Amino acid sequence: RRRARARSGTRPCGLRELEVRVSELGLGYASEETVLFRYCAGACEAAARFYDQGLRRLRQRRRVRREKVRAQPCCRPTAYEDEVSFLDTHSRYHTVHELSARECACV
Amino acid sequence: EAPLGLYFSRDAYWEKLYVDQPAGMPLLYVHALRDVPDEVPSFRLGQHLYSAYRKRLHENNWIRIQEDTGLLYLNWSLDHSSWEKLSIRNGGFPLLTVYLQVFLLPTALREGECQWPGCARVYFSFINTSFPACGSLKPRELCFPKTGLSFRIRENRPPGTFHQFRQLPMQFLCPNISITYRLLGGENLPFRCAPDSLEVSTRWALDRERREKYELVAACTVHMGAREEEVMVPFPVTVYDEDDSAPTFLGGVDSTGATSAVVEFKRKKGTVVATLHVFDADVVPASGELLRRYTSTLLPGDAWALQTFRVEHSPNETLVKVNGSFIRATVHEYRLVLNRSLPISESHALQLAVLVNDSDFQGLGEGTLLLHFNVSVLPVSLRLPSAYSFTVSRRAHHFAQVGKVSVENCQQFTGIHVQYDLQLSSANCSALGVVTSAEDTTGILFVNDTEALRRPECTQLQYAVVATDQSTHRQAQAPLLVTMEGTYMAEEPGCPLSCAVSKRRPECEECGGLGSPTGRCEWRQGDGKGISRNFSTCSPSIKTCPDSHCDAVESSNPNICPQDCLRGSIIGGHEPGERWGIKAGFGTCNCFPEEKKCFCEPEDSQDPLCDELCRMVI
């Protein structure tokens, strides 16, 4: 059994930024350009509800077994950047929709 | 434009002005060339000085012109306070350049409408110091103005003087420096520089159709005591065109001066039936005026011809080699175009005449040309092959493609609309349907009723294929025999409706899906090279899907081939299709047609990170 992970100092769920080359995203695009990649990260303990506790206990009692359930809120984007465009090494433009997060929340 | 009679040899002149230069100092000469002999130019200055941005600054009290010689000179010295005054009027922008307008009489003098050939601008660059000492001037400054020289001379016009080399302020303020000029570049050229006056003139009339540009070189030698220095600058002369050439034929014409054309399978409105090229050595009228002045008229024959055909004209500039150099000329393309779509029953033979008129032509003879088109419109008869025979597997799914039917030459059809239908001539085992593919006028046979396929009494189906022309309702028929083969096997439970849902080869090949002719989906293994047209995917039949083309059967249901037909979002590295679907994808592409989504991603054995973070470990 693992101790509760809530250490003081873990940042709460929020937007983080990373400057990445398009080729690093591993989407198959060969491009030298850099894009600003915003993603959601951080802890969500404070967002737990009765639902999460109840579901966790039911799962321990093997009442919920069949399906994949998530008994903990997860830090996910609730809104995305519309589009980012870049030029690839063959001088063709590509536009990628919803590549990067705009708002985050524990859901 | 109407012939003005006289024109400037340049549209802009340049000179420097310094502070406190003496009144009476000559500045420069402007030159006018004649259109007809015996004309005498008379020059007049515009009333105002303008800033470089066409802002009127002040009445011109400083500079005057000699009406007959075209000499501009300072009538009044320009001191600092005059310049300050001009600068303030310029709205705070630093004033470096002003200009004056010079008009040629007897043209209408309208300020603000300074356009070559009847008006030229004289720009003065202001230097905010007094004139430098003669010894400190560089040869380049002594010899030529700062801005390059270039000249315009009209063809077929009387020769005349168009330039004077001397920099008058230099000569006036530094009389002790001796400067001589020469014109280099061909002794037999029509230009001459008089040794005494240093005036450059043409010796005879020029002809643009022989030579359009003269790249001369002006050389200037400065003698400063014992030192001599030579400076050379380019001295380009451009010959301006006039409409002195009549249009002539250029290729595509047989001995009778006509071109022949056949209208048969391409009957759509807008089809180019025949093309003739007309050559004209001129480059005037210019493009803005050209279509108005260079007319083409389809001469009235019968009403049918005037209704059915129109003439399209597009002029193009070309280069012609004359005496080893290239001269611009015009090639006019005249296209005979169908003005309406022709029904397949129409049949005609006619000769059309088009009158081309170069209305600006000023030479001797006619500026017109008659183009002839011999056109044969042939009727098209619909013919199907004698018989069709196809086999279908009993395991085929709905929308599985069985084969194609088509009338002869249908690949070449445009503007002919043929519809295909099936008429069942045997028992009520109607298992097939047909859709007409508009792009190539073929009919695609597909499985329309899987239940009828499996009935034991339906082993051979007799159909008649009927091709109907939409406009004339003419028909062609052919018998069609469809043979069922194989035995029906029930589908695995839990298989998706669409083959495209499967992401891996095993699950792809153990299921069938909408559109699969064998009852099983087929796996296409891609090349795995980045975003490629050859991506891995699962489809009902590799022959038809994905082929970057959403055919008539595939478009009838989104589950058949979303790879070609999806109108939704594609997630992952991809290139969208021209209209819809996936043109190229990264790795394996699978789709969920109900959600209107496709995903392209190389196979990845790692679990996503979030699952790990969010997993409750017990």
Side-chain angles (χ1 to χ4, degrees), chain A residues 1-2 5 26-29 56 59-60 68 70 72 74 76 92 94, chain B residues 530-531 572-575 586 602 610-618:
Chain A
R1 291 193 50 155
R2 196 188 297 186
R5 268 184 300 170
L27 299 171
Y29 296 111
R56 227 173 5 240
R59 195 169 56 189
Q60 284 169 2
K68 222 175 171 179
R70 193 171 300 294
Q72 248 193 7
C74 213
R76 289 282 301 166
R92 278 181 310 196
H94 297 275
Chain B
I531 297 173
H574 75 281
E575 255 182 78
F586 185 42
C610 178
D611 286 8
E612 234 161 88
L613 272 182
C614 303
R615 193 178 298 142
M616 179 70 191
V617 181
I618 300 156

Side-chain angles (χ1 to χ4, degrees), chain B residues 138-339:
Chain B
K138 293 190 179 66
R140 176 77 180 74
E141 293 172 299
L142 286 163
C143 289
F144 298 109
K146 212 171 101 188
T147 313
L149 304 163
S150 74
F151 302 92
R152 310 173 168 197
I153 296 175
R154 288 179 171 167
E155 67 169 345
N156 311 330
R157 295 289 178 259
T161 300
F162 64 92
H163 181 57
Q164 196 279 134
F165 272 126
R166 223 172 252 128
Q167 298 261 78
L168 303 180
M170 300 290 170
Q171 200 190 1
F172 185 81
L173 297 167
C174 306
N176 296 336
I177 300 177
S178 135
I179 303 175
T180 55
Y181 291 93
R182 289 180 303 142
L183 203 52
L184 314 175
E187 305 317 305
N188 42 10
L189 290 183
F191 302 103
R192 178 173 177 276
C193 175
D196 48 350
S197 64
L198 298 182
E199 283 184 336
V200 186
S201 44
T202 48
R203 294 196 277 181
W204 55 78
L206 305 176
D207 180 2
R208 192 203 68 91
E209 281 72 40
R210 287 228 191 114
R211 187 157 176 184
E212 183 163 39
K213 269 201 170 327
Y214 293 92
E215 303 281 356
L216 305 163
V217 174
C220 157
T221 313
V222 180
H223 311 267
M224 288 166 130
R227 277 198 311 130
E228 268 194 16
E229 231 174 299
E230 189 170 57
V231 182
M232 295 198 204
V233 294
F235 190 91
V237 177
T238 306
V239 185
Y240 273 50
D241 193 23
E242 65 170 10
D243 200 336
D244 57 348
S245 311
T248 55
F249 278 116
L250 179 77
V253 183
D254 65 20
S255 54
T256 58
T259 186
S260 306
V262 175
V263 179
E264 189 171 13
F265 302 127
K266 309 243 177 280
R267 304 176 90 88
K268 193 182 175 156
K269 179 180 177 175
T271 302
V272 178
V273 175
T275 306
L276 274 177
H277 290 99
V278 168
F279 178 79
D280 190 318
D282 292 316
V283 287
V284 291
S287 52
E289 298 276 290
L290 190 57
L291 293 174
R292 224 161 34 82
R293 300 184 183 244
Y294 223 98
T295 58
S296 52
T297 328
L298 191 58
L299 292 185
D302 56 315
W304 186 88
L306 290 179
Q307 231 178 45
T308 308
F309 296 99
R310 67 171 188 267
V311 177
E312 285 183 358
H313 169 208
S314 48
N316 252 317
E317 200 168 89
T318 177
L319 289 174
V320 182
K321 204 164 184 167
V322 179
N323 304 336
S325 68
F326 284 101
I327 311 282
R328 293 175 308 136
T330 314
V331 168
H332 299 264
E333 188 176 76
Y334 289 96
R335 292 183 300 274
L336 191 67
V337 176
L338 282 185
N339 210 17

Side-chain angles (χ1 to χ4, degrees), chain B residues 462-540:
Chain B
Q462 295 274 359
Y463 286 99
V465 178
V466 183
T468 313
D469 173 58
Q470 297 290 286
S471 62
T472 61
H473 301 293
R474 296 187 177 196
Q475 288 192 334
Q477 285 208 9
L480 162 68
L481 180 71
V482 180
T483 314
M484 311 295 175
E485 60 175 10
T487 50
Y488 173 68
M489 289 176 28
E491 181 77 8
E492 300 266 337
C495 273
L497 183 60
S498 171
C499 291
V501 171
S502 302
K503 209 172 165 177
R504 290 187 182 82
R505 187 168 193 148
E507 70 212 36
C508 171
E509 289 174 341
E510 69 189 19
C511 275
L514 222 53
S516 55
T518 59
R520 288 293 165 96
C521 300
E522 295 180 359
W523 179 258
R524 183 178 86 170
Q525 187 60 43
D527 52 20
K529 289 190 192 124
I531 297 173
S532 136
R533 287 180 157 224
N534 186 7
F535 51 89
S536 301
T537 195
C538 182
S539 99

